[in-house]
Amino acid sequence: MNGLMLMHSQAGTTKTKVMIDALAHYLGCADDVPLIRRVIQMEERAKNKAKADLKKLQEHYQLKDEDIALLFKEAEQLEDVKLRPQPAPPHDLSSDRNIDYTKLQDFLKAGQWKEADDETLAVMLKVTDREKEGWLDVEDIENFPCTDLRTIDQLWVKYSNGHFGFSVQKQIYLEVRGLPDGKYYEEAWKKFGDRVGWRVKESWINIDEQVTFNTTAPHGHLPVLTGYYYMFQLGVESDDCLDFFDDIIYFSFFFSRVENCKL
């Protein structure tokens, strides 16, 4: 059997033909349906063109029929490999500052959300070399390495099944018509606070006592650490703790960075 005949025999009864036959049988119209005949004719023309193209390639490269048969066999094997389920790759813990994110990953994997939140702040301070200060300023945020921000975010998103993370929070912020441009939009931030559960009955919650560290919390509730950066940065002190949101115009610098890093 030569290569072209092999290709023709392998084509055999195609999926399209099987589907058409099944449809025709269901409709009780067999092969006398014009549309069905038209589809079959189009498919045959496509096969004939493919055979002609293959013949030209065979002649151009001076391939034998056995070579063509071998190529078909290898193509089938490759297709089988592509269709097999592939194991998920290990999560990327990349860092531009040589930060070890294993501890954060372990906390998140175990569902230890409070510990993960604290560890997130700790690693972000390490990234920016601000452990002594304990907070980040605008310059730190604007220059925060995208690789590290992405690693932190993807860990939160992965182990919360898309419930928590900076990218999740940014999406909610955009949905309430906030703009990640480094400017403060009061109404958007209030709506954002309402959506993520940081604002209840028109009052900002006490971040020390009222944060929900489990997955019953609203979408985007965690991490909550970002607010602390700006409270410390501007020297804001408030009995209501998160009352400072109304006065802090720099808060959206963080989401501006999240946007610029394409999270």
mmCIF file of all heavy atoms in Angstrom, residues 62-105:
data_model
loop_
_atom_site.group_PDB
_atom_site.id
_atom_site.type_symbol
_atom_site.label_atom_id
_atom_site.label_comp_id
_atom_site.label_asym_id
_atom_site.label_seq_id
_atom_site.Cartn_x
_atom_site.Cartn_y
_atom_site.Cartn_z
ATOM 1 N N GLN A 62 11.624 13.996 -2.362
ATOM 2 C CA GLN A 62 12.006 12.651 -2.820
ATOM 3 C C GLN A 62 11.814 11.609 -1.708
ATOM 4 O O GLN A 62 12.708 10.812 -1.391
ATOM 5 C CB GLN A 62 13.466 12.655 -3.300
ATOM 6 C CG GLN A 62 13.695 13.571 -4.487
ATOM 7 C CD GLN A 62 15.140 13.560 -4.980
ATOM 8 O OE1 GLN A 62 16.042 13.077 -4.297
ATOM 9 N NE2 GLN A 62 15.356 14.079 -6.184
ATOM 10 N N LEU A 63 10.632 11.654 -1.113
ATOM 11 C CA LEU A 63 10.314 10.724 -0.034
ATOM 12 C C LEU A 63 9.689 9.450 -0.593
ATOM 13 O O LEU A 63 8.922 9.494 -1.559
ATOM 14 C CB LEU A 63 9.330 11.378 0.944
ATOM 15 C CG LEU A 63 9.829 12.624 1.690
ATOM 16 C CD1 LEU A 63 8.701 13.230 2.499
ATOM 17 C CD2 LEU A 63 11.013 12.282 2.584
ATOM 18 N N LYS A 64 10.015 8.349 0.037
ATOM 19 C CA LYS A 64 9.422 7.080 -0.341
ATOM 20 C C LYS A 64 8.083 6.910 0.371
ATOM 21 O O LYS A 64 7.783 7.595 1.351
ATOM 22 C CB LYS A 64 10.357 5.933 0.038
ATOM 23 C CG LYS A 64 11.710 5.974 -0.666
ATOM 24 C CD LYS A 64 12.591 4.840 -0.186
ATOM 25 C CE LYS A 64 13.965 4.891 -0.861
ATOM 26 N NZ LYS A 64 14.849 3.799 -0.376
ATOM 27 N N ASP A 65 7.302 5.949 -0.125
ATOM 28 C CA ASP A 65 6.013 5.676 0.515
ATOM 29 C C ASP A 65 6.209 5.262 1.973
ATOM 30 O O ASP A 65 5.408 5.597 2.847
ATOM 31 C CB ASP A 65 5.269 4.572 -0.236
ATOM 32 C CG ASP A 65 4.780 5.054 -1.592
ATOM 33 O OD1 ASP A 65 4.733 6.293 -1.786
ATOM 34 O OD2 ASP A 65 4.442 4.205 -2.436
ATOM 35 N N GLU A 66 7.311 4.521 2.235
ATOM 36 C CA GLU A 66 7.570 4.091 3.618
ATOM 37 C C GLU A 66 7.844 5.287 4.520
ATOM 38 O O GLU A 66 7.481 5.291 5.692
ATOM 39 C CB GLU A 66 8.773 3.139 3.654
ATOM 40 C CG GLU A 66 8.613 1.853 2.839
ATOM 41 C CD GLU A 66 8.953 2.094 1.380
ATOM 42 O OE1 GLU A 66 10.093 2.496 1.059
ATOM 43 O OE2 GLU A 66 8.030 1.871 0.566
ATOM 44 N N ASP A 67 8.508 6.329 3.936
ATOM 45 C CA ASP A 67 8.774 7.538 4.715
ATOM 46 C C ASP A 67 7.478 8.233 5.106
ATOM 47 O O ASP A 67 7.321 8.712 6.231
ATOM 48 C CB ASP A 67 9.653 8.500 3.908
ATOM 49 C CG ASP A 67 11.015 7.907 3.605
ATOM 50 O OD1 ASP A 67 11.522 7.142 4.444
ATOM 51 O OD2 ASP A 67 11.561 8.215 2.526
ATOM 52 N N ILE A 68 6.558 8.293 4.152
ATOM 53 C CA ILE A 68 5.272 8.923 4.408
ATOM 54 C C ILE A 68 4.512 8.161 5.494
ATOM 55 O O ILE A 68 3.939 8.752 6.420
ATOM 56 C CB ILE A 68 4.419 8.974 3.119
ATOM 57 C CG1 ILE A 68 5.110 9.851 2.064
ATOM 58 C CG2 ILE A 68 3.019 9.487 3.415
ATOM 59 C CD1 ILE A 68 5.222 11.301 2.465
ATOM 60 N N ALA A 69 4.528 6.843 5.409
ATOM 61 C CA ALA A 69 3.848 6.015 6.401
ATOM 62 C C ALA A 69 4.441 6.244 7.783
ATOM 63 O O ALA A 69 3.723 6.334 8.788
ATOM 64 C CB ALA A 69 3.943 4.537 6.021
ATOM 65 N N LEU A 70 5.772 6.377 7.852
ATOM 66 C CA LEU A 70 6.441 6.615 9.129
ATOM 67 C C LEU A 70 6.065 7.974 9.696
ATOM 68 O O LEU A 70 5.846 8.119 10.906
ATOM 69 C CB LEU A 70 7.961 6.520 8.934
ATOM 70 C CG LEU A 70 8.811 6.699 10.199
ATOM 71 C CD1 LEU A 70 8.473 5.616 11.217
ATOM 72 C CD2 LEU A 70 10.299 6.655 9.846
ATOM 73 N N LEU A 71 5.966 8.971 8.814
ATOM 74 C CA LEU A 71 5.572 10.306 9.261
ATOM 75 C C LEU A 71 4.167 10.297 9.861
ATOM 76 O O LEU A 71 3.900 10.942 10.877
ATOM 77 C CB LEU A 71 5.643 11.294 8.088
ATOM 78 C CG LEU A 71 7.041 11.699 7.632
ATOM 79 C CD1 LEU A 71 6.956 12.530 6.354
ATOM 80 C CD2 LEU A 71 7.742 12.491 8.727
ATOM 81 N N PHE A 72 3.242 9.579 9.217
ATOM 82 C CA PHE A 72 1.880 9.477 9.753
ATOM 83 C C PHE A 72 1.888 8.827 11.138
ATOM 84 O O PHE A 72 1.190 9.251 12.050
ATOM 85 C CB PHE A 72 0.999 8.667 8.799
ATOM 86 C CG PHE A 72 0.349 9.499 7.737
ATOM 87 C CD1 PHE A 72 0.737 9.399 6.411
ATOM 88 C CD2 PHE A 72 -0.662 10.385 8.066
ATOM 89 C CE1 PHE A 72 0.131 10.172 5.435
ATOM 90 C CE2 PHE A 72 -1.275 11.160 7.090
ATOM 91 C CZ PHE A 72 -0.870 11.056 5.766
ATOM 92 N N LYS A 73 2.707 7.786 11.261
ATOM 93 C CA LYS A 73 2.774 7.074 12.539
ATOM 94 C C LYS A 73 3.305 7.982 13.639
ATOM 95 O O LYS A 73 2.763 8.031 14.753
ATOM 96 C CB LYS A 73 3.671 5.843 12.393
ATOM 97 C CG LYS A 73 3.711 4.975 13.647
ATOM 98 C CD LYS A 73 4.529 3.716 13.418
ATOM 99 C CE LYS A 73 4.549 2.840 14.670
ATOM 100 N NZ LYS A 73 5.345 1.612 14.468
ATOM 101 N N GLU A 74 4.365 8.736 13.343
ATOM 102 C CA GLU A 74 4.938 9.652 14.327
ATOM 103 C C GLU A 74 3.956 10.766 14.687
ATOM 104 O O GLU A 74 3.869 11.187 15.847
ATOM 105 C CB GLU A 74 6.245 10.243 13.783
ATOM 106 C CG GLU A 74 7.369 9.235 13.679
ATOM 107 C CD GLU A 74 8.631 9.840 13.101
ATOM 108 O OE1 GLU A 74 8.568 11.003 12.646
ATOM 109 O OE2 GLU A 74 9.667 9.166 13.104
ATOM 110 N N ALA A 75 3.214 11.242 13.685
ATOM 111 C CA ALA A 75 2.224 12.293 13.940
ATOM 112 C C ALA A 75 1.129 11.794 14.877
ATOM 113 O O ALA A 75 0.681 12.503 15.780
ATOM 114 C CB ALA A 75 1.619 12.762 12.623
ATOM 115 N N GLU A 76 0.682 10.546 14.668
ATOM 116 C CA GLU A 76 -0.335 9.967 15.538
ATOM 117 C C GLU A 76 0.182 9.835 16.964
ATOM 118 O O GLU A 76 -0.540 10.102 17.928
ATOM 119 C CB GLU A 76 -0.748 8.595 15.014
ATOM 120 C CG GLU A 76 -1.609 8.651 13.759
ATOM 121 C CD GLU A 76 -1.946 7.256 13.250
ATOM 122 O OE1 GLU A 76 -1.364 6.268 13.765
ATOM 123 O OE2 GLU A 76 -2.780 7.151 12.339
ATOM 124 N N GLN A 77 1.454 9.434 17.117
ATOM 125 C CA GLN A 77 2.039 9.292 18.438
ATOM 126 C C GLN A 77 2.134 10.639 19.149
ATOM 127 O O GLN A 77 1.845 10.757 20.344
ATOM 128 C CB GLN A 77 3.417 8.642 18.336
ATOM 129 C CG GLN A 77 3.383 7.179 17.911
ATOM 130 C CD GLN A 77 4.761 6.606 17.664
ATOM 131 O OE1 GLN A 77 5.742 7.345 17.508
ATOM 132 N NE2 GLN A 77 4.852 5.282 17.620
ATOM 133 N N LEU A 78 2.533 11.666 18.400
ATOM 134 C CA LEU A 78 2.605 13.009 18.979
ATOM 135 C C LEU A 78 1.238 13.499 19.415
ATOM 136 O O LEU A 78 1.083 14.128 20.457
ATOM 137 C CB LEU A 78 3.219 13.988 17.961
ATOM 138 C CG LEU A 78 4.720 13.867 17.731
ATOM 139 C CD1 LEU A 78 5.141 14.779 16.580
ATOM 140 C CD2 LEU A 78 5.487 14.244 18.995
ATOM 141 N N GLU A 79 0.235 13.228 18.612
ATOM 142 C CA GLU A 79 -1.128 13.642 18.938
ATOM 143 C C GLU A 79 -1.605 12.943 20.209
ATOM 144 O O GLU A 79 -2.257 13.547 21.060
ATOM 145 C CB GLU A 79 -2.069 13.326 17.768
ATOM 146 C CG GLU A 79 -3.473 13.901 17.935
ATOM 147 C CD GLU A 79 -3.488 15.410 17.941
ATOM 148 O OE1 GLU A 79 -2.542 16.018 17.404
ATOM 149 O OE2 GLU A 79 -4.431 15.982 18.506
ATOM 150 N N ASP A 80 -1.270 11.657 20.337
ATOM 151 C CA ASP A 80 -1.646 10.917 21.545
ATOM 152 C C ASP A 80 -1.024 11.537 22.785
ATOM 153 O O ASP A 80 -1.667 11.681 23.828
ATOM 154 C CB ASP A 80 -1.199 9.450 21.432
ATOM 155 C CG ASP A 80 -2.060 8.668 20.453
ATOM 156 O OD1 ASP A 80 -3.169 9.147 20.141
ATOM 157 O OD2 ASP A 80 -1.621 7.595 19.995
ATOM 158 N N VAL A 81 0.249 11.930 22.668
ATOM 159 C CA VAL A 81 0.944 12.542 23.803
ATOM 160 C C VAL A 81 0.292 13.867 24.171
ATOM 161 O O VAL A 81 0.092 14.186 25.347
ATOM 162 C CB VAL A 81 2.438 12.755 23.475
ATOM 163 C CG1 VAL A 81 3.119 13.593 24.547
ATOM 164 C CG2 VAL A 81 3.137 11.410 23.337
ATOM 165 N N LYS A 82 -0.077 14.656 23.156
ATOM 166 C CA LYS A 82 -0.695 15.957 23.405
ATOM 167 C C LYS A 82 -2.026 15.818 24.112
ATOM 168 O O LYS A 82 -2.422 16.670 24.911
ATOM 169 C CB LYS A 82 -0.896 16.704 22.083
ATOM 170 C CG LYS A 82 0.386 17.275 21.501
ATOM 171 C CD LYS A 82 0.198 17.755 20.087
ATOM 172 C CE LYS A 82 -0.834 18.858 20.011
ATOM 173 N NZ LYS A 82 -1.002 19.363 18.631
ATOM 174 N N LEU A 83 -2.747 14.732 23.814
ATOM 175 C CA LEU A 83 -4.069 14.550 24.393
ATOM 176 C C LEU A 83 -4.037 13.972 25.800
ATOM 177 O O LEU A 83 -5.031 14.008 26.504
ATOM 178 C CB LEU A 83 -4.908 13.636 23.485
ATOM 179 C CG LEU A 83 -5.270 14.202 22.113
ATOM 180 C CD1 LEU A 83 -5.985 13.158 21.280
ATOM 181 C CD2 LEU A 83 -6.142 15.446 22.259
ATOM 182 N N ARG A 84 -2.905 13.444 26.223
ATOM 183 C CA ARG A 84 -2.822 12.888 27.563
ATOM 184 C C ARG A 84 -2.821 13.999 28.594
ATOM 185 O O ARG A 84 -2.200 15.055 28.393
ATOM 186 C CB ARG A 84 -1.529 12.086 27.716
ATOM 187 C CG ARG A 84 -1.519 10.769 26.973
ATOM 188 C CD ARG A 84 -0.194 10.073 27.156
ATOM 189 N NE ARG A 84 0.053 9.112 26.090
ATOM 190 C CZ ARG A 84 1.247 8.726 25.688
ATOM 191 N NH1 ARG A 84 2.320 9.229 26.254
ATOM 192 N NH2 ARG A 84 1.363 7.835 24.724
ATOM 193 N N PRO A 85 -3.488 13.812 29.745
ATOM 194 C CA PRO A 85 -3.446 14.819 30.808
ATOM 195 C C PRO A 85 -2.016 15.008 31.293
ATOM 196 O O PRO A 85 -1.308 14.033 31.545
ATOM 197 C CB PRO A 85 -4.328 14.201 31.914
ATOM 198 C CG PRO A 85 -5.162 13.172 31.218
ATOM 199 C CD PRO A 85 -4.342 12.666 30.081
ATOM 200 N N GLN A 86 -1.584 16.254 31.378
ATOM 201 C CA GLN A 86 -0.231 16.540 31.825
ATOM 202 C C GLN A 86 -0.233 16.902 33.308
ATOM 203 O O GLN A 86 -1.128 17.609 33.784
ATOM 204 C CB GLN A 86 0.343 17.724 31.021
ATOM 205 C CG GLN A 86 0.441 17.432 29.534
ATOM 206 C CD GLN A 86 1.378 16.281 29.230
ATOM 207 O OE1 GLN A 86 2.492 16.215 29.723
ATOM 208 N NE2 GLN A 86 0.912 15.351 28.394
ATOM 209 N N PRO A 87 0.740 16.429 34.079
ATOM 210 C CA PRO A 87 0.799 16.776 35.498
ATOM 211 C C PRO A 87 1.011 18.266 35.681
ATOM 212 O O PRO A 87 1.709 18.909 34.880
ATOM 213 C CB PRO A 87 2.008 15.979 36.004
ATOM 214 C CG PRO A 87 2.840 15.728 34.783
ATOM 215 C CD PRO A 87 1.860 15.586 33.652
ATOM 216 N N ALA A 88 0.379 18.832 36.692
ATOM 217 C CA ALA A 88 0.523 20.266 36.953
ATOM 218 C C ALA A 88 1.957 20.565 37.371
ATOM 219 O O ALA A 88 2.531 19.845 38.182
ATOM 220 C CB ALA A 88 -0.446 20.690 38.057
ATOM 221 N N PRO A 89 2.554 21.615 36.810
ATOM 222 C CA PRO A 89 3.926 21.944 37.193
ATOM 223 C C PRO A 89 3.972 22.468 38.617
ATOM 224 O O PRO A 89 2.973 22.985 39.129
ATOM 225 C CB PRO A 89 4.290 23.066 36.193
ATOM 226 C CG PRO A 89 2.981 23.682 35.833
ATOM 227 C CD PRO A 89 1.986 22.560 35.860
ATOM 228 N N PRO A 90 5.108 22.327 39.294
ATOM 229 C CA PRO A 90 5.208 22.868 40.654
ATOM 230 C C PRO A 90 5.035 24.367 40.615
ATOM 231 O O PRO A 90 5.411 25.025 39.640
ATOM 232 C CB PRO A 90 6.633 22.479 41.075
ATOM 233 C CG PRO A 90 7.367 22.262 39.794
ATOM 234 C CD PRO A 90 6.347 21.716 38.831
ATOM 235 N N HIS A 91 4.454 24.942 41.682
ATOM 236 C CA HIS A 91 4.173 26.374 41.659
ATOM 237 C C HIS A 91 5.471 27.173 41.629
ATOM 238 O O HIS A 91 6.440 26.850 42.296
ATOM 239 C CB HIS A 91 3.349 26.779 42.889
ATOM 240 C CG HIS A 91 2.778 28.147 42.747
ATOM 241 N ND1 HIS A 91 1.581 28.385 42.099
ATOM 242 C CD2 HIS A 91 3.253 29.356 43.108
ATOM 243 C CE1 HIS A 91 1.343 29.685 42.106
ATOM 244 N NE2 HIS A 91 2.343 30.293 42.713
ATOM 245 N N ASP A 92 5.466 28.213 40.822
ATOM 246 C CA ASP A 92 6.635 29.050 40.652
ATOM 247 C C ASP A 92 6.794 29.967 41.865
ATOM 248 O O ASP A 92 5.905 30.744 42.188
ATOM 249 C CB ASP A 92 6.455 29.874 39.372
ATOM 250 C CG ASP A 92 7.687 30.702 39.062
ATOM 251 O OD1 ASP A 92 8.712 30.503 39.745
ATOM 252 O OD2 ASP A 92 7.623 31.535 38.145
ATOM 253 N N LEU A 93 7.929 29.867 42.532
ATOM 254 C CA LEU A 93 8.208 30.723 43.697
ATOM 255 C C LEU A 93 9.322 31.712 43.351
ATOM 256 O O LEU A 93 10.184 32.007 44.172
ATOM 257 C CB LEU A 93 8.603 29.870 44.904
ATOM 258 C CG LEU A 93 7.559 28.874 45.409
ATOM 259 C CD1 LEU A 93 8.080 28.120 46.626
ATOM 260 C CD2 LEU A 93 6.248 29.564 45.748
ATOM 261 N N SER A 94 9.279 32.237 42.141
ATOM 262 C CA SER A 94 10.327 33.127 41.650
ATOM 263 C C SER A 94 10.421 34.402 42.476
ATOM 264 O O SER A 94 9.426 34.914 42.997
ATOM 265 C CB SER A 94 10.070 33.497 40.189
ATOM 266 O OG SER A 94 10.069 32.351 39.377
ATOM 267 N N SER A 95 11.641 34.915 42.567
ATOM 268 C CA SER A 95 11.888 36.176 43.266
ATOM 269 C C SER A 95 13.070 36.882 42.635
ATOM 270 O O SER A 95 14.101 36.268 42.356
ATOM 271 C CB SER A 95 12.171 35.924 44.748
ATOM 272 O OG SER A 95 12.600 37.119 45.387
ATOM 273 N N ASP A 96 12.924 38.172 42.415
ATOM 274 C CA ASP A 96 14.036 38.972 41.908
ATOM 275 C C ASP A 96 14.986 39.383 43.031
ATOM 276 O O ASP A 96 16.060 39.925 42.776
ATOM 277 C CB ASP A 96 13.514 40.232 41.216
ATOM 278 C CG ASP A 96 12.930 39.938 39.839
ATOM 279 O OD1 ASP A 96 13.143 38.808 39.339
ATOM 280 O OD2 ASP A 96 12.258 40.825 39.280
ATOM 281 N N ARG A 97 14.574 39.150 44.280
ATOM 282 C CA ARG A 97 15.384 39.560 45.435
ATOM 283 C C ARG A 97 15.815 38.363 46.285
ATOM 284 O O ARG A 97 16.141 38.535 47.461
ATOM 285 C CB ARG A 97 14.586 40.560 46.284
ATOM 286 C CG ARG A 97 14.129 41.796 45.534
ATOM 287 C CD ARG A 97 15.307 42.662 45.081
ATOM 288 N NE ARG A 97 14.913 43.674 44.107
ATOM 289 C CZ ARG A 97 14.367 44.840 44.417
ATOM 290 N NH1 ARG A 97 14.115 45.135 45.679
ATOM 291 N NH2 ARG A 97 14.073 45.718 43.480
ATOM 292 N N ASN A 98 15.737 37.184 45.685
ATOM 293 C CA ASN A 98 16.164 35.962 46.368
ATOM 294 C C ASN A 98 15.388 35.722 47.669
ATOM 295 O O ASN A 98 15.959 35.310 48.689
ATOM 296 C CB ASN A 98 17.672 36.016 46.660
ATOM 297 C CG ASN A 98 18.257 34.643 46.930
ATOM 298 O OD1 ASN A 98 17.775 33.630 46.405
ATOM 299 N ND2 ASN A 98 19.284 34.589 47.771
ATOM 300 N N ILE A 99 14.103 35.980 47.643
ATOM 301 C CA ILE A 99 13.238 35.772 48.805
ATOM 302 C C ILE A 99 12.689 34.344 48.780
ATOM 303 O O ILE A 99 12.291 33.851 47.721
ATOM 304 C CB ILE A 99 12.068 36.779 48.816
ATOM 305 C CG1 ILE A 99 12.603 38.218 48.801
ATOM 306 C CG2 ILE A 99 11.171 36.551 50.015
ATOM 307 C CD1 ILE A 99 13.435 38.593 50.001
ATOM 308 N N ASP A 100 12.660 33.709 49.927
ATOM 309 C CA ASP A 100 12.120 32.352 50.037
ATOM 310 C C ASP A 100 10.634 32.434 50.385
ATOM 311 O O ASP A 100 10.268 32.916 51.462
ATOM 312 C CB ASP A 100 12.876 31.579 51.123
ATOM 313 C CG ASP A 100 12.421 30.132 51.230
ATOM 314 O OD1 ASP A 100 11.550 29.715 50.431
ATOM 315 O OD2 ASP A 100 12.922 29.408 52.116
ATOM 316 N N TYR A 101 9.786 31.979 49.477
ATOM 317 C CA TYR A 101 8.338 32.046 49.685
ATOM 318 C C TYR A 101 7.740 30.716 50.163
ATOM 319 O O TYR A 101 6.521 30.560 50.180
ATOM 320 C CB TYR A 101 7.647 32.482 48.383
ATOM 321 C CG TYR A 101 7.918 33.931 48.043
ATOM 322 C CD1 TYR A 101 8.781 34.277 47.008
ATOM 323 C CD2 TYR A 101 7.316 34.951 48.776
ATOM 324 C CE1 TYR A 101 9.037 35.596 46.699
ATOM 325 C CE2 TYR A 101 7.572 36.281 48.480
ATOM 326 C CZ TYR A 101 8.431 36.600 47.443
ATOM 327 O OH TYR A 101 8.686 37.918 47.149
ATOM 328 N N THR A 102 8.597 29.803 50.561
ATOM 329 C CA THR A 102 8.115 28.487 50.990
ATOM 330 C C THR A 102 7.207 28.593 52.207
ATOM 331 O O THR A 102 6.173 27.917 52.293
ATOM 332 C CB THR A 102 9.301 27.559 51.307
ATOM 333 O OG1 THR A 102 10.145 27.472 50.165
ATOM 334 C CG2 THR A 102 8.805 26.174 51.669
ATOM 335 N N LYS A 103 7.587 29.415 53.165
ATOM 336 C CA LYS A 103 6.797 29.563 54.395
ATOM 337 C C LYS A 103 5.408 30.113 54.086
ATOM 338 O O LYS A 103 4.398 29.636 54.618
ATOM 339 C CB LYS A 103 7.533 30.477 55.378
ATOM 340 C CG LYS A 103 6.968 30.455 56.790
ATOM 341 C CD LYS A 103 7.861 31.275 57.715
ATOM 342 C CE LYS A 103 7.330 31.259 59.146
ATOM 343 N NZ LYS A 103 8.193 32.060 60.055
ATOM 344 N N LEU A 104 5.355 31.109 53.223
ATOM 345 C CA LEU A 104 4.062 31.670 52.819
ATOM 346 C C LEU A 104 3.234 30.609 52.124
ATOM 347 O O LEU A 104 2.025 30.467 52.388
ATOM 348 C CB LEU A 104 4.272 32.868 51.888
ATOM 349 C CG LEU A 104 3.002 33.476 51.275
ATOM 350 C CD1 LEU A 104 2.058 33.966 52.357
ATOM 351 C CD2 LEU A 104 3.366 34.606 50.309
ATOM 352 N N GLN A 105 3.855 29.854 51.235
ATOM 353 C CA GLN A 105 3.151 28.786 50.536
ATOM 354 C C GLN A 105 2.597 27.753 51.522
ATOM 355 O O GLN A 105 1.447 27.315 51.395
ATOM 356 C CB GLN A 105 4.088 28.107 49.548
ATOM 357 C CG GLN A 105 3.417 27.010 48.719
ATOM 358 C CD GLN A 105 4.397 26.339 47.770
ATOM 359 O OE1 GLN A 105 5.525 26.046 48.145
ATOM 360 N NE2 GLN A 105 3.972 26.125 46.538
#
